[in-house]
Amino acid sequence: MAEIRVNSLSVAGADLHLELSGGGSRRARLTRALREAVREGRLAPGTRLPPYRSLATDLGLARNTVAEAYAELVAEGWLVARQGSGTSVAPRAAARVPRPRPARSVPAPRPALSLVQGQPDAGSFPRAAWAAAARRALNAAPNEAFGPGDPRGRVELRRALADYLGRARGVRTDPERIVVCAGFAHALRLLSGGNGPLRGTLAVEAYGLPFHRGILAGAGLRTLPLPVDEHGARTDLLAGAKDVRAALLTPAHQFPTGGPLDPRRRAAAVDWARAGSGRILLEDDYDGEFRYDRQPVGAVQGLDPERVVYLGSVSKSLSPAVRVGWMVLPGHMVDDVLALKGEREAWTGVTDQLALADFLGSGAYDRHVRRMRQHYRDRRDRLVALLAERAPHLGVSGIAAGLHAVLRLPHGTEESVVRAAARRGLSLEGLAPYRHPESTGEAYDGLVIGYATPPDHAFASALDTLCRTLPALP
Ligand SMILES: Cc1ncc(COP(=O)(O)O)c(C=O)c1O
């Protein structure tokens, strides 16, 4: 089989890979290969083919062989030849590729308005500042940055993160203990997967992201729900939990109920981790930057860097589509986690890592976070004010931080409110999906309201639709 790479086939300078395979004469094989390229759309309608001589030279064929192949395809209608302008692909030569039928799992179109939590305001991505950071970073990067990557992640980013996390989140680390990953979910997959440090049963908060529970269950781990109240997760119960060697917590802002972990509960978690060999805490600091009414709550990791794996990402501060996150690891875990990352796996690309390093180091990240804090505080205040006016009988909580709030509903009404909102074109989520299925603690009805989600122009109507959907005063 001859596999020949042609380097200058189209006038646009694109390469075309032609496989002169199968039986028959050279002419027949070339004709077939060109016909296939046109049929599959790899040679687009209108593309000019190279002159006979240059294609013949590239393919090691006689000029006449190419001329005959072109003539045959012109006769068949795949190509057109025009005096003085050579041979090109006929305008409608490519077969219409039927549109793939949507897979069954494709979700139904979403309602026009959404207050579903899970994303920052996508319209506020700092495009210009990010582009400037990327340009600066690419200009400054040494050539070796574009060689095979370091599984820890770029050193520029790890240095910038060590500075930032120490300064802004009270994390105690040096760049050597930071491993860059593609977001929190990637970290959780690595840590819980085969050969990962998480084994057996993991304590989790009774309310949490079902998606994260799914990652753990998929890895064969059992999860033990810790009840959650207004002081956060009941970490005081860890001491009595059998066979548990790790606990996953959201201390800065319990997800999704919204309270910070009470100082005594923070201490209880760390004491538990210290009391048994090999015990660790996983600290999910997913939105620690966004605290509005008082000083940010520092990371639990600062209390004991050898017992806490600190996990963060840019998913709330910048965008969940960027897929950059980080693990700050106890020293003894670093090598094992690097081995889990493997060679040339789905790491974060170097260009995003370099851009984020510059974004952090230049102060652009702090500026963006400050701006967004104000933006989300304004939105939160509008939400709270409107609820106070139009639904004063319903309690709203979890508003001191983050990008979502929880609105308590009368018992038994959650599902019908979510459905009524959908009928009015508003996507809403109740608390039920977040509740651990084995949780025995108090269950209450409520809505998780992602006030960062709507674009600015739709925010007022999303809030209005929400208020029109809520149960009236009893
Ligand atoms: C509870 C929680 N943890 C972590 C994350 C971040 O996940 P990732 O970095 O995988 O996007 C999110 C969402 O942004 C979240 O809601």
Side-chain angles (χ1 to χ4, degrees):
M1 182 174 84
E3 260 201 24
I4 298 163
R5 194 156 180 83
V6 184
N7 284 318
S8 56
L9 194 50
S10 85
V11 281
D15 287 357
L16 178 71
H17 179 82
L18 283 180
E19 243 178 60
L20 302 194
S21 56
S25 65
R26 291 172 152 226
R27 170 187 153 182
R29 284 186 281 149
L30 175 60
T31 311
R32 202 163 45 230
L34 285 169
R35 195 188 290 116
E36 280 310 299
V38 175
R39 200 200 315 267
E40 290 166 5
R42 290 189 293 127
L43 272 177
T47 306
R48 269 176 62 174
L49 296 186
Y52 307 147
R53 190 184 307 281
S54 57
L55 187 60
T57 309
D58 281 339
L59 299 182
L61 301 171
R63 183 182 172 283
N64 264 356
T65 307
V66 176
E68 285 164 15
Y70 278 16
E72 187 174 335
L73 293 169
V74 169
E76 289 177 8
W78 297 101
L79 303 181
V80 286
R82 279 202 195 87
Q83 201 69 38
S85 57
T87 310
S88 48
V89 178
R92 255 184 291 282
R96 276 175 190 272
V97 180
R99 276 173 169 244
R101 288 167 62 154
R104 277 213 187 143
S105 61
V106 170
R110 298 183 60 163
L113 298 170
S114 174
L115 284 169
V116 171
Q117 74 74 33
Q119 63 169 70
D121 175 9
S124 295
F125 184 81
R127 295 172 192 243
W130 183 263
R135 181 173 299 111
R136 279 193 304 266
L138 290 182
N139 284 335
N143 288 346
E144 61 77 22
F146 306 102
D150 178 344
R152 281 171 207 270
R154 280 305 297 178
V155 66
E156 295 91 333
L157 177 56
R158 290 184 287 112
R159 282 193 197 123
L161 282 169
D163 284 352
Y164 173 75
L165 295 173
R167 170 168 60 75
R169 304 294 306 123
V171 170
R172 286 198 278 152
T173 188
D174 56 57
E176 298 310 301
R177 293 198 293 119
I178 296 181
V179 175
V180 176
C181 57
F184 176 87
H186 180 210
L188 201 57
R189 269 200 189 93
L190 286 174
L191 298 172
S192 61
N195 300 328
L198 302 179
R199 304 271 162 80
T201 305
L202 179 80
V204 297
E205 296 167 330
Y207 282 87
L209 261 191
F211 166 59
H212 292 163
R213 286 198 296 267
I215 292 177
L216 297 169
L221 293 168
R222 222 180 81 72
T223 49
L224 176 79
L226 295 174
V228 169
D229 61 22
E230 67 277 21
H231 304 299
R234 292 282 310 274
T235 52
D236 51 312
L237 300 178
L238 278 169
K242 263 197 167 167
D243 301 328
V244 172
R245 286 179 51 203
L248 170 60
L249 303 170
T250 50
H253 186 222
Q254 202 287 322
F255 184 87
T257 62
L261 190 62
D262 178 272
R264 275 170 310 218
R265 302 250 177 104
R266 289 158 68 93
V270 173
D271 288 348
W272 169 81
R274 285 177 178 158
S277 102
R279 289 183 181 170
I280 50 167
L281 300 172
L282 303 179
E283 176 170 22
D284 176 3
D285 198 30
Y286 64 104
D287 68 1
E289 284 102 344
F290 296 110
R291 173 152 286 277
Y292 309 119
D293 301 325
R294 46 187 171 106
Q295 279 296 305
V297 181
V300 170
Q301 190 269 4
L303 299 178
D304 196 336
E306 286 305 305
R307 309 277 171 176
V308 181
V309 174
Y310 173 90
L311 302 158
S313 77
V314 300
S315 290
K316 294 283 173 153
S317 54
L318 284 168
S319 154
V322 173
R323 303 317 295 154
V324 184
W326 43 88
M327 302 177 243
V328 180
L329 297 162
H332 66 92
M333 288 178 66
V334 173
D335 287 344
D336 288 347
V337 170
L338 290 177
L340 292 172
K341 268 191 104 182
E343 294 283 329
R344 307 213 167 199
E345 284 304 320
W347 304 344
T348 300
V350 70
T351 48
D352 279 340
Q353 292 190 47
L354 292 168
L356 180 59
D358 182 284
F359 205 70
L360 284 160
S362 65
Y365 191 87
D366 286 73
R367 282 192 291 281
H368 176 68
V369 165
R370 264 202 305 277
R371 192 164 64 82
M372 295 315 291
R373 211 182 273 139
Q374 190 54 48
H375 179 56
Y376 296 138
R377 187 206 303 262
D378 291 346
R379 283 193 172 197
R380 178 206 63 169
D381 290 349
R382 284 171 67 185
L383 168 73
V384 171
L386 200 69
L387 289 172
E389 183 191 320
R390 294 177 56 181
H393 54 299
L394 302 177
V396 58
S397 60
I399 55 172
L403 314 185
H404 67 271
V406 170
L407 185 67
R408 294 283 286 264
L409 293 175
H411 186 67
T413 59
E414 180 181 306
E415 220 183 301
S416 58
V417 170
V418 170
R419 269 194 271 116
R423 281 196 297 277
R424 293 193 151 109
L426 173 67
S427 269
L428 273 183
E429 272 184 338
L431 269 172
Y434 295 94
R435 186 177 160 81
H436 193 292
E438 291 163 38
S439 175
T440 52
E442 188 198 354
Y444 49 90
D445 286 46
L447 297 173
V448 180
I449 300 174
Y451 50 82
T453 300
D456 276 338
H457 66 85
F459 187 61
S461 56
L463 291 193
D464 177 60
T465 310
L466 168 71
C467 289
R468 285 191 290 122
T469 309
L470 293 173
L473 262 169

